[in-house]
Amino acid sequence: MKLLRIVATNYKNCEDNLTIDFVAKSKKTSEDKIYELYPIDEELYTFNTLALVGKNASGKTTVIELIFISLSILEDYKVHGVEYSYNNTQLELYFHHDHMIYHYKCTINTINGEAVFSNEVLQAKKYYKTKANELFEGKFREVVFKGKLPNTISKVFYVLEGERKVSQYLPAYSFGEYNYSVIFDVLSKDNIGVSIFSKIVQLFDNNIKSLRFENNLFKVEYRDSSYELSNKELFNFLSSGTSRGIILFLTAVNCLKKGYDLIVDEIETHFHKTIVENLIILFKDPYINKKGACLIFTTHQCELLDLFNRQDNIYITKANEHIHLENMYDTYDIRPELLKSNQYYNNAFDTAVNYEDLMSLKKELIDTL
């Protein structure tokens, strides 16, 4: 199963019919087919990476949460993981599964603290490579199922039962002390080798010789000393960058291994640019990303965009009266040989900090302090 498109109406402060595409729109070069795209069917490709950029308070987190919610419906058949009270939110999801294109529509409301589905319609059509450019058009036939599900469970369950995936969402500031327990749980359940884990730890703190969990304590060994620490003590002992880095890269390894999507809000937080660049490159490497995992992230570090050969997998978020999205390929005429970061700094996407606001603040400080 692969998500192809999201269309949302009446979701938070977003404009109606907010649309996010995960399939390639522009020309697909042979190099792109190796490093930028993943084939899910004949002549049908989804992205290995997708970036959201924009000013502060332009809606990046809102949009990335919408992506996570949509994936949770397809993967776990329900809405979970994001605190929000839904009030007549209308959602359309297009997805590919078993050589079919599905179109799912629903309304979501929050009742007694739970997200419930209503007005559900599920349609399908056979995918043909000759009509790869007409994915969301043409005639869909309604899929009818017998039986009744709880209103907290989506009808996509009938199509995708047994096709379980668990995309991972890492919010910008959610790296609490509990995550060290999660780390070692992932190591044991998902059979991620000790050697890989050790290399991840040393990437962020090469003074650490080993970090392991024994007898309900975390044991940290340095070259000349060692410590036995509780969960909370370990969290306070290591730097925030080391903690977030270990969690992020271990989660990334798990997603790459299983073909899950990894969603990261403010991917550069606590990290040197080189670290983030290399994480992005892992998802572009066909020898590592063998199962089509996608890294979806927001960032303020526009130099990261220079790692993207394409433009159709970059979205710019903007917020006037409502949050809306602009796709770099659809909206802007940017020559591919130009650095995207230079275009960003030159305000080609209208994303620069307002100079007049900065000068107004400076004048107020001069007059007041």
Side-chain angles (χ1 to χ4, degrees), residues 235-251:
F235 181 72
N236 292 322
F237 185 80
L238 299 178
S239 73
S240 56
T242 298
S243 295
R244 182 178 166 104
I246 292 171
I247 293 163
L248 174 58
F249 268 69
L250 184 64
T251 305

Side-chain angles (χ1 to χ4, degrees), residues 135-149:
L135 283 179
F136 312 118
E137 302 166 2
K139 189 172 183 179
F140 286 81
R141 298 183 182 277
E142 186 168 355
V143 182
V144 180
F145 300 99
K146 295 181 180 180
K148 186 173 177 61
L149 293 169

Side-chain angles (χ1 to χ4, degrees), residues 147-158:
K148 186 173 177 61
L149 293 169
N151 60 8
T152 56
I153 302 297
S154 165
K155 285 185 178 179
V156 299
F157 167 85
Y158 290 119

Side-chain angles (χ1 to χ4, degrees), residues 325-338:
L325 286 174
E326 295 176 350
N327 183 270
M328 187 179 288
Y329 171 73
D330 286 336
T331 310
Y332 299 95
D333 186 18
I334 304 296
R335 298 206 311 268
E337 71 271 15
L338 297 178

Side-chain angles (χ1 to χ4, degrees), residues 173-185 211 213 218 229-240 243-244 246-247:
Y173 298 103
S174 69
F175 293 79
E177 61 194 54
Y178 69 91
N179 275 306
Y180 281 106
S181 296
V182 173
I183 283 175
F184 285 92
D185 189 48
L211 170 60
F213 185 60
F218 296 91
L229 304 167
S230 68
N231 213 14
K232 185 175 183 179
E233 287 170 337
L234 180 62
F235 181 72
N236 292 322
F237 185 80
L238 299 178
S239 73
S240 56
S243 295
R244 182 178 166 104
I246 292 171
I247 293 163

